Coordinates of all heavy atoms in Angstrom, one line a residue:
T1 N -55.0 139.5 52.0 CA -55.2 140.0 53.4 C -55.6 138.8 54.2 O -56.4 137.9 53.8 CB -56.4 141.0 53.4 OG1 -56.1 142.0 52.5 CG2 -56.6 141.5 54.8
A2 N -55.1 138.7 55.4 CA -55.5 137.6 56.3 C -56.8 137.7 57.0 O -57.2 138.9 57.3 CB -54.4 137.6 57.4
T3 N -57.5 136.6 56.9 CA -58.9 136.6 57.5 C -58.9 135.2 58.3 O -58.0 134.5 58.4 CB -60.0 136.6 56.5 OG1 -59.9 135.4 55.7 CG2 -59.9 137.8 55.6
D4 N -60.1 135.1 59.0 CA -60.3 133.8 59.6 C -60.1 132.6 58.8 O -59.7 131.6 59.1 CB -61.7 133.7 60.3 CG -61.8 134.7 61.5 OD1 -60.7 135.1 62.0 OD2 -62.9 135.1 61.9
K5 N -60.6 132.7 57.5 CA -60.5 131.7 56.6 C -59.3 131.6 55.7 O -59.0 130.7 55.0 CB -61.7 131.7 55.6 CG -63.0 131.4 56.4 CD -64.2 131.4 55.4 CE -65.6 131.1 56.2 NZ -66.6 131.1 55.3
Q6 N -58.5 132.7 55.7 CA -57.3 132.9 55.0 C -56.1 133.4 56.0 O -56.0 134.5 56.2 CB -57.5 133.9 53.9 CG -56.3 134.3 53.1 CD -55.8 133.1 52.1 OE1 -56.5 132.2 51.8 NE2 -54.6 133.3 51.6
P7 N -55.5 132.4 56.5 CA -54.4 132.8 57.5 C -53.3 133.6 56.9 O -53.1 133.5 55.7 CB -53.9 131.4 58.0 CG -54.9 130.4 57.6 CD -55.6 131.0 56.4
A8 N -52.6 134.4 57.7 CA -51.5 135.2 57.1 C -50.4 134.3 56.4 O -49.9 134.7 55.4 CB -50.9 135.9 58.3
A9 N -50.2 133.2 57.0 CA -49.2 132.3 56.3 C -49.5 131.9 54.9 O -48.7 131.9 54.0 CB -49.0 131.1 57.2
N10 N -50.9 131.7 54.6 CA -51.3 131.4 53.3 C -51.2 132.6 52.4 O -50.8 132.5 51.3 CB -52.8 130.9 53.3 CG -52.9 129.5 53.9 OD1 -51.9 128.9 54.2 ND2 -54.1 129.1 54.0
T11 N -51.5 133.8 52.9 CA -51.4 135.0 52.1 C -50.0 135.2 51.7 O -49.7 135.6 50.6 CB -52.0 136.2 52.9 OG1 -53.4 135.9 53.3 CG2 -51.9 137.5 52.1
I12 N -49.1 135.1 52.7 CA -47.6 135.2 52.4 C -47.2 134.2 51.4 O -46.5 134.6 50.4 CB -46.8 135.1 53.7 CG1 -47.1 136.3 54.6 CG2 -45.3 135.0 53.4 CD1 -46.6 136.2 56.0
A13 N -47.6 133.0 51.5 CA -47.2 132.0 50.6 C -47.7 132.3 49.2 O -47.0 132.1 48.1 CB -47.7 130.6 51.0
Q14 N -48.9 132.7 49.1 CA -49.5 133.1 47.7 C -48.8 134.3 47.1 O -48.6 134.3 45.9 CB -51.0 133.3 47.8 CG -51.8 132.1 48.2 CD -53.2 132.3 48.6 OE1 -53.6 133.5 48.8 NE2 -54.0 131.3 48.8
T15 N -48.4 135.2 48.0 CA -47.7 136.4 47.5 C -46.3 136.0 47.0 O -45.9 136.5 45.9 CB -47.6 137.5 48.6 OG1 -48.9 137.8 49.0 CG2 -46.9 138.7 48.1
Q16 N -45.7 135.1 47.7 CA -44.4 134.7 47.3 C -44.4 133.8 46.1 O -43.4 133.6 45.5 CB -43.7 134.0 48.5 CG -43.3 134.9 49.6 CD -42.8 134.2 50.9 OE1 -43.1 133.0 51.0 NE2 -42.1 134.9 51.7
A17 N -45.5 133.3 45.7 CA -45.6 132.4 44.6 C -45.4 133.2 43.3 O -45.1 132.6 42.3 CB -47.1 131.8 44.5
V18 N -45.4 134.5 43.3 CA -45.1 135.3 42.1 C -43.6 135.5 41.9 O -43.0 136.5 42.1 CB -45.8 136.6 42.1 CG1 -45.6 137.4 40.9 CG2 -47.3 136.5 42.5
T19 N -43.0 134.3 41.6 CA -41.5 134.4 41.5 C -41.0 133.9 40.2 O -39.9 134.1 39.8 CB -40.9 133.4 42.6 OG1 -41.4 132.2 42.5 CG2 -41.0 134.0 44.0
D20 N -41.9 133.4 39.4 CA -41.5 132.9 38.0 C -41.3 134.1 37.2 O -42.0 135.1 37.3 CB -42.4 131.9 37.4 CG -43.8 132.4 37.1 OD1 -44.6 132.4 38.0 OD2 -44.0 132.9 36.0
A21 N -40.4 134.0 36.2 CA -40.1 135.1 35.3 C -41.2 135.7 34.5 O -41.5 136.9 34.4 CB -38.9 134.8 34.4
T22 N -42.1 134.8 34.0 CA -43.2 135.2 33.2 C -44.2 136.0 34.0 O -44.6 137.1 33.6 CB -44.0 134.0 32.6 OG1 -43.0 133.2 31.8 CG2 -45.1 134.4 31.8
T23 N -44.6 135.5 35.2 CA -45.5 136.2 36.1 C -44.9 137.6 36.5 O -45.6 138.7 36.5 CB -46.0 135.4 37.2 OG1 -46.5 134.2 36.8 CG2 -46.9 136.2 38.1
S24 N -43.7 137.6 37.0 CA -43.0 138.8 37.4 C -42.9 139.8 36.3 O -43.1 141.0 36.4 CB -41.6 138.5 37.9 OG -41.7 137.7 39.1
G25 N -42.6 139.3 35.1 CA -42.5 140.2 33.9 C -43.8 140.8 33.5 O -44.0 142.0 33.2
A26 N -44.9 140.0 33.6 CA -46.2 140.5 33.3 C -46.7 141.5 34.3 O -47.2 142.6 33.9 CB -47.2 139.3 33.4
I27 N -46.3 141.4 35.7 CA -46.7 142.3 36.6 C -45.9 143.6 36.4 O -46.5 144.7 36.4 CB -46.4 141.8 38.0 CG1 -47.4 140.7 38.3 CG2 -46.5 142.8 39.1 CD1 -47.1 139.8 39.6
A28 N -44.6 143.5 36.1 CA -43.8 144.7 35.8 C -44.3 145.5 34.6 O -44.4 146.7 34.6 CB -42.3 144.3 35.7
N29 N -44.7 144.7 33.6 CA -45.3 145.4 32.4 C -46.5 146.1 32.7 O -46.7 147.2 32.2 CB -45.4 144.3 31.3 CG -45.7 144.9 29.9 OD1 -45.1 146.0 29.6 ND2 -46.6 144.3 29.2
Q30 N -47.4 145.5 33.4 CA -48.6 146.2 33.7 C -48.4 147.4 34.6 O -49.1 148.4 34.4 CB -49.6 145.2 34.6 CG -50.8 145.8 35.0 CD -51.7 146.3 33.9 OE1 -51.8 145.6 32.8 NE2 -52.4 147.4 34.1
Q31 N -47.5 147.3 35.6 CA -47.1 148.5 36.4 C -46.5 149.6 35.4 O -46.9 150.8 35.7 CB -46.2 148.1 37.4 CG -46.8 147.2 38.5 CD -45.8 146.7 39.5 OE1 -44.6 146.6 39.2 NE2 -46.2 146.3 40.7
K32 N -45.7 149.2 34.6 CA -45.2 150.3 33.7 C -46.2 150.9 32.8 O -46.3 152.2 32.7 CB -44.1 149.7 32.8 CG -43.5 150.6 31.9 CD -42.5 149.9 30.9 CE -41.7 150.9 30.0 NZ -42.6 151.8 29.2
R33 N -47.2 150.2 32.3 CA -48.3 150.7 31.5 C -49.2 151.6 32.4 O -49.5 152.7 31.9 CB -49.1 149.6 30.9 CG -48.5 149.0 29.6 CD -49.5 148.2 28.9 NE -50.2 147.2 29.7 CZ -50.1 145.9 29.8 NH1 -49.0 145.4 29.2 NH2 -50.8 145.2 30.6
T34 N -49.4 151.2 33.6 CA -50.1 152.1 34.5 C -49.5 153.4 34.7 O -50.2 154.4 34.6 CB -50.4 151.3 35.8 OG1 -51.0 150.1 35.6 CG2 -51.2 152.2 36.8
V35 N -48.2 153.4 34.9 CA -47.4 154.6 35.2 C -47.5 155.5 33.9 O -47.7 156.7 33.9 CB -46.0 154.4 35.7 CG1 -45.2 155.7 35.6 CG2 -46.0 153.8 37.0
D36 N -47.2 154.8 32.7 CA -47.2 155.5 31.4 C -48.5 156.2 31.2 O -48.5 157.3 30.8 CB -46.9 154.5 30.3 CG -45.3 154.2 30.2 OD1 -44.5 154.8 31.0 OD2 -45.0 153.2 29.5
N37 N -49.6 155.5 31.4 CA -50.9 156.0 31.2 C -51.2 157.2 32.1 O -51.7 158.2 31.7 CB -52.0 155.0 31.4 CG -52.0 154.0 30.2 OD1 -51.4 154.2 29.2 ND2 -52.6 152.8 30.5
W38 N -50.8 157.1 33.4 CA -50.9 158.1 34.3 C -50.2 159.4 34.0 O -50.7 160.5 33.9 CB -50.5 157.7 35.7 CG -50.6 158.8 36.7 CD1 -51.7 159.3 37.3 CD2 -49.5 159.5 37.3 NE1 -51.4 160.4 38.1 CE2 -50.0 160.5 38.2 CE3 -48.1 159.4 37.1 CZ2 -49.2 161.3 38.9 CZ3 -47.3 160.3 37.9 CH2 -47.9 161.2 38.7
L39 N -48.9 159.3 33.4 CA -48.2 160.4 33.0 C -48.8 161.0 31.8 O -48.9 162.3 31.8 CB -46.7 159.9 32.7 CG -45.8 159.7 33.9 CD1 -44.5 159.0 33.5 CD2 -45.6 161.0 34.7
T40 N -49.2 160.3 30.8 CA -49.8 160.8 29.6 C -51.1 161.6 30.0 O -51.3 162.6 29.5 CB -50.1 159.7 28.6 OG1 -48.9 159.1 28.3 CG2 -50.8 160.3 27.4
D41 N -51.9 161.0 30.8 CA -53.1 161.6 31.2 C -52.9 162.9 32.0 O -53.6 163.9 31.7 CB -54.0 160.7 32.1 CG -54.6 159.5 31.4 OD1 -54.5 159.5 30.1 OD2 -55.0 158.6 32.0
L42 N -51.9 162.9 32.9 CA -51.6 164.1 33.6 C -51.1 165.2 32.7 O -51.5 166.4 32.8 CB -50.6 163.8 34.7 CG -50.2 164.9 35.6 CD1 -51.4 165.4 36.4 CD2 -49.1 164.5 36.6
Y43 N -50.1 164.8 31.8 CA -49.7 165.9 30.9 C -50.8 166.4 30.1 O -50.8 167.6 29.8 CB -48.6 165.3 30.0 CG -47.2 165.3 30.5 CD1 -46.7 165.0 31.7 CD2 -46.1 165.8 29.6 CE1 -45.5 165.0 32.2 CE2 -44.8 165.9 30.0 CZ -44.5 165.5 31.3 OH -43.2 165.6 31.7
S44 N -51.6 165.6 29.6 CA -52.8 166.1 28.8 C -53.8 166.9 29.6 O -54.1 168.0 29.1 CB -53.6 164.9 28.2 OG -52.9 164.1 27.4
D45 N -54.1 166.5 30.8 CA -55.0 167.3 31.6 C -54.4 168.6 32.0 O -55.2 169.7 32.1 CB -55.3 166.5 32.9 CG -56.2 165.2 32.8 OD1 -56.7 165.1 31.7 OD2 -56.2 164.5 33.7
L46 N -53.1 168.7 32.2 CA -52.4 169.9 32.5 C -52.0 170.8 31.3 O -51.5 171.9 31.4 CB -51.2 169.7 33.3 CG -51.5 169.0 34.8 CD1 -50.1 168.7 35.4 CD2 -52.4 170.0 35.6
G47 N -52.2 170.2 30.1 CA -51.8 170.9 28.9 C -50.3 171.1 28.7 O -49.8 172.0 28.1
I48 N -49.6 170.1 29.2 CA -48.1 170.1 29.0 C -47.8 169.4 27.8 O -48.1 168.2 27.6 CB -47.5 169.4 30.3 CG1 -47.9 170.1 31.6 CG2 -46.0 169.3 30.1 CD1 -47.4 169.4 32.8
N49 N -47.0 170.0 26.9 CA -46.5 169.4 25.7 C -47.5 168.7 24.9 O -47.1 167.6 24.4 CB -45.2 168.5 26.1 CG -44.3 168.2 24.9 OD1 -44.2 169.1 24.0 ND2 -43.7 167.1 25.0
D50 N -48.7 169.1 24.8 CA -49.8 168.5 24.1 C -50.0 167.0 24.6 O -50.4 166.2 23.8 CB -49.5 168.5 22.6 CG -49.6 169.9 22.0 OD1 -50.3 170.7 22.4 OD2 -48.7 170.1 21.1
G51 N -49.7 166.7 25.8 CA -49.9 165.4 26.4 C -48.8 164.4 26.0 O -48.9 163.2 26.3
V52 N -47.8 164.9 25.4 CA -46.7 164.0 25.0 C -45.6 164.0 26.1 O -45.0 165.1 26.4 CB -46.1 164.4 23.6 CG1 -44.9 163.6 23.3 CG2 -47.1 164.4 22.5
V53 N -45.3 162.8 26.6 CA -44.2 162.7 27.6 C -43.0 162.0 26.9 O -43.2 160.8 26.5 CB -44.7 161.8 28.8 CG1 -43.6 161.8 29.9 CG2 -46.0 162.3 29.3
D54 N -41.9 162.7 26.8 CA -40.8 162.0 26.1 C -40.2 161.0 27.0 O -40.4 160.9 28.1 CB -39.7 163.0 25.6 CG -39.0 163.8 26.7 OD1 -39.0 163.3 27.9 OD2 -38.6 164.9 26.4
Q55 N -39.3 160.1 26.3 CA -38.8 159.0 27.1 C -37.9 159.5 28.3 O -38.0 158.8 29.4 CB -37.9 158.1 26.2 CG -37.6 156.7 26.9 CD -38.8 156.0 27.2 OE1 -39.7 155.7 26.5 NE2 -38.9 155.5 28.5
G56 N -37.2 160.5 28.2 CA -36.5 161.1 29.3 C -37.3 161.5 30.4 O -37.0 161.2 31.6
G57 N -38.5 162.1 30.1 CA -39.4 162.5 31.1 C -40.0 161.3 31.8 O -40.2 161.2 33.0
R58 N -40.5 160.3 31.0 CA -41.0 159.1 31.6 C -40.0 158.4 32.6 O -40.4 158.0 33.6 CB -41.3 158.1 30.4 CG -42.6 158.4 29.7 CD -43.0 157.3 28.8 NE -44.0 157.8 27.9 CZ -45.3 158.0 28.2 NH1 -45.7 157.9 29.5 NH2 -46.2 158.5 27.4
D59 N -38.8 158.3 32.1 CA -37.8 157.6 32.9 C -37.6 158.4 34.2 O -37.5 157.8 35.3 CB -36.4 157.6 32.2 CG -36.5 156.6 31.0 OD1 -37.5 155.8 30.9 OD2 -35.5 156.6 30.1
Y60 N -37.5 159.7 34.1 CA -37.3 160.5 35.3 C -38.4 160.5 36.3 O -38.2 160.2 37.5 CB -37.1 162.0 34.9 CG -36.8 162.9 36.1 CD1 -35.6 162.9 36.8 CD2 -37.9 163.7 36.6 CE1 -35.4 163.6 37.9 CE2 -37.7 164.5 37.8 CZ -36.4 164.5 38.4 OH -36.2 165.2 39.5
W61 N -39.7 160.7 35.7 CA -40.8 160.7 36.7 C -41.1 159.3 37.2 O -41.5 159.2 38.4 CB -42.0 161.3 36.0 CG -41.8 162.8 35.6 CD1 -41.9 163.3 34.4 CD2 -41.5 163.8 36.6 NE1 -41.6 164.7 34.5 CE2 -41.4 165.0 35.8 CE3 -41.3 163.9 37.9 CZ2 -41.1 166.3 36.3 CZ3 -41.0 165.2 38.5 CH2 -40.8 166.3 37.7
T62 N -40.8 158.3 36.5 CA -41.0 156.9 36.9 C -40.0 156.6 38.1 O -40.4 156.0 39.1 CB -40.9 155.9 35.8 OG1 -41.9 156.2 34.8 CG2 -41.0 154.5 36.3
S63 N -38.8 157.1 37.9 CA -37.8 156.9 39.0 C -38.2 157.7 40.2 O -38.1 157.2 41.3 CB -36.4 157.3 38.6 OG -36.3 158.6 38.4
Q64 N -38.8 158.8 40.0 CA -39.2 159.6 41.1 C -40.3 158.9 42.0 O -40.4 159.1 43.2 CB -39.7 161.0 40.7 CG -38.6 161.9 40.2 CD -37.6 162.3 41.3 OE1 -37.9 162.9 42.3 NE2 -36.4 161.8 41.1
L65 N -41.2 158.2 41.3 CA -42.3 157.5 41.9 C -41.7 156.4 42.9 O -42.4 155.9 43.8 CB -43.3 156.8 41.0 CG -44.2 157.8 40.3 CD1 -44.9 157.2 39.1 CD2 -45.3 158.3 41.3
G66 N -40.5 156.0 42.7 CA -39.9 155.1 43.6 C -39.5 155.6 45.0 O -39.4 154.9 46.0
N67 N -39.4 156.9 45.0 CA -39.0 157.6 46.3 C -40.1 158.5 46.9 O -40.0 159.0 47.9 CB -37.8 158.5 46.0 CG -36.7 157.6 45.5 OD1 -36.4 156.5 46.0 ND2 -36.0 158.1 44.4
K68 N -41.1 158.9 46.0 CA -42.1 159.8 46.4 C -43.5 159.3 46.2 O -43.7 158.4 45.3 CB -41.9 161.2 45.6 CG -40.6 161.9 45.8 CD -40.5 163.1 44.9 CE -39.2 163.8 45.1 NZ -39.2 165.1 44.3
S69 N -44.5 160.0 46.8 CA -45.8 159.6 46.6 C -46.3 160.1 45.1 O -45.6 161.0 44.6 CB -46.7 160.2 47.6 OG -46.8 161.5 47.5
K70 N -47.4 159.6 44.7 CA -48.0 160.0 43.4 C -48.3 161.5 43.5 O -48.0 162.3 42.6 CB -49.2 159.2 43.1 CG -49.8 159.4 41.8 CD -51.0 158.5 41.6 CE -51.9 158.8 40.5 NZ -53.0 157.9 40.4
A71 N -48.9 161.9 44.6 CA -49.2 163.3 44.8 C -47.9 164.3 44.8 O -48.0 165.3 44.2 CB -49.9 163.5 46.2
E72 N -46.9 163.8 45.4 CA -45.6 164.6 45.4 C -45.1 164.7 44.0 O -44.6 165.8 43.5 CB -44.6 163.9 46.3 CG -44.9 164.1 47.8 CD -44.0 163.3 48.7 OE1 -43.7 162.1 48.4 OE2 -43.6 163.8 49.7
V73 N -45.1 163.6 43.3 CA -44.6 163.7 41.8 C -45.5 164.5 41.0 O -45.0 165.3 40.2 CB -44.5 162.2 41.2 CG1 -44.1 162.3 39.8 CG2 -43.4 161.4 42.0
E74 N -46.8 164.5 41.2 CA -47.7 165.4 40.4 C -47.4 166.8 40.7 O -47.3 167.6 39.8 CB -49.1 165.0 40.7 CG -50.1 165.9 39.9 CD -51.6 165.4 40.1 OE1 -51.8 164.3 40.6 OE2 -52.4 166.2 39.9
R75 N -47.1 167.1 42.1 CA -46.8 168.5 42.4 C -45.5 168.9 41.7 O -45.4 170.0 41.2 CB -46.6 168.5 44.0 CG -46.2 169.9 44.5 CD -45.5 169.8 45.9 NE -44.2 169.0 45.7 CZ -43.7 168.3 46.6 NH1 -44.3 168.2 47.8 NH2 -42.6 167.6 46.4
D76 N -44.5 168.0 41.7 CA -43.2 168.3 41.1 C -43.4 168.5 39.6 O -42.7 169.3 39.0 CB -42.2 167.2 41.4 CG -41.8 167.1 42.9 OD1 -42.1 168.1 43.6 OD2 -41.2 166.1 43.2
I77 N -44.2 167.7 39.0 CA -44.4 167.9 37.5 C -45.1 169.3 37.2 O -44.7 170.0 36.4 CB -45.3 166.8 36.9 CG1 -44.6 165.4 36.9 CG2 -45.9 167.1 35.6 CD1 -45.4 164.2 36.6
K78 N -46.0 169.6 38.0 CA -46.7 170.9 37.9 C -45.6 172.0 38.1 O -45.6 173.0 37.3 CB -47.8 171.1 38.9 CG -49.0 170.3 38.6 CD -50.1 170.4 39.7 CE -51.3 169.6 39.4 NZ -52.3 169.6 40.5
Y79 N -44.8 171.9 39.1 CA -43.8 172.9 39.4 C -42.8 173.0 38.2 O -42.5 174.1 37.7 CB -43.0 172.6 40.7 CG -42.0 173.6 41.0 CD1 -42.3 174.8 41.6 CD2 -40.6 173.3 40.7 CE1 -41.3 175.7 41.9 CE2 -39.6 174.3 40.9 CZ -40.0 175.4 41.6 OH -39.1 176.4 41.9
A80 N -42.3 171.8 37.7 CA -41.5 171.9 36.5 C -42.1 172.5 35.3 O -41.3 173.1 34.5 CB -40.9 170.4 36.3
A81 N -43.3 172.4 35.2 CA -44.0 173.0 34.0 C -44.4 174.4 34.2 O -45.1 175.0 33.4 CB -45.2 172.1 33.7
G82 N -44.0 175.0 35.4 CA -44.4 176.4 35.7 C -45.9 176.5 36.1 O -46.4 177.6 36.0
L83 N -46.5 175.4 36.5 CA -47.9 175.5 36.9 C -48.2 175.4 38.4 O -49.3 175.5 38.8 CB -48.7 174.3 36.2 CG -48.5 174.2 34.7 CD1 -49.2 172.9 34.2 CD2 -49.2 175.4 34.1
G84 N -47.1 175.3 39.2 CA -47.3 175.1 40.6 C -46.7 176.1 41.5 O -46.0 176.8 41.8

């Protein structure tokens, strides 16, 4: 975030610094784990399939997060499970 001591140009430059494959890969892996954990927790909390999300479900719901908000995807998961 830009502040008096951190100009916007510096913030942009620091953000763009995440271009090497190792850092980009680490960030992508962390994001995937975050989504995986969220899906597993949601399935468990809702009592869906004993908290087990198969790979097809993970792939589908992860792709949906690219186009919808987390709340919308949660609503869709509940609907698909007959809970919404």
Side-chain angles (χ1 to χ4, degrees):
T1 304
T3 65
D4 290 338
K5 294 183 181 185
Q6 175 73 14
N10 288 356
T11 301
I12 292 168
Q14 290 167 353
T15 302
Q16 291 173 339
V18 182
T19 57
D20 67 272
T22 302
T23 303
S24 296
I27 291 169
N29 190 39
Q30 177 61 38
Q31 290 170 336
K32 181 182 182 311
R33 281 195 313 260
T34 300
V35 171
D36 285 348
N37 290 342
W38 175 73
L39 284 169
T40 298
D41 291 346
L42 182 62
Y43 269 52
S44 293
D45 292 347
L46 297 174
I48 301 171
N49 200 31
D50 294 322
V52 176
V53 187
D54 65 25
Q55 192 59 53
R58 282 191 194 286
D59 293 345
Y60 178 77
W61 296 121
T62 299
S63 72
Q64 291 297 298
L65 285 167
N67 304 315
K68 298 179 180 181
S69 71
K70 186 176 167 183
E72 290 172 315
V73 172
E74 183 172 338
R75 178 203 63 207
D76 292 350
I77 290 170
K78 288 177 181 177
Y79 180 81
L83 302 172

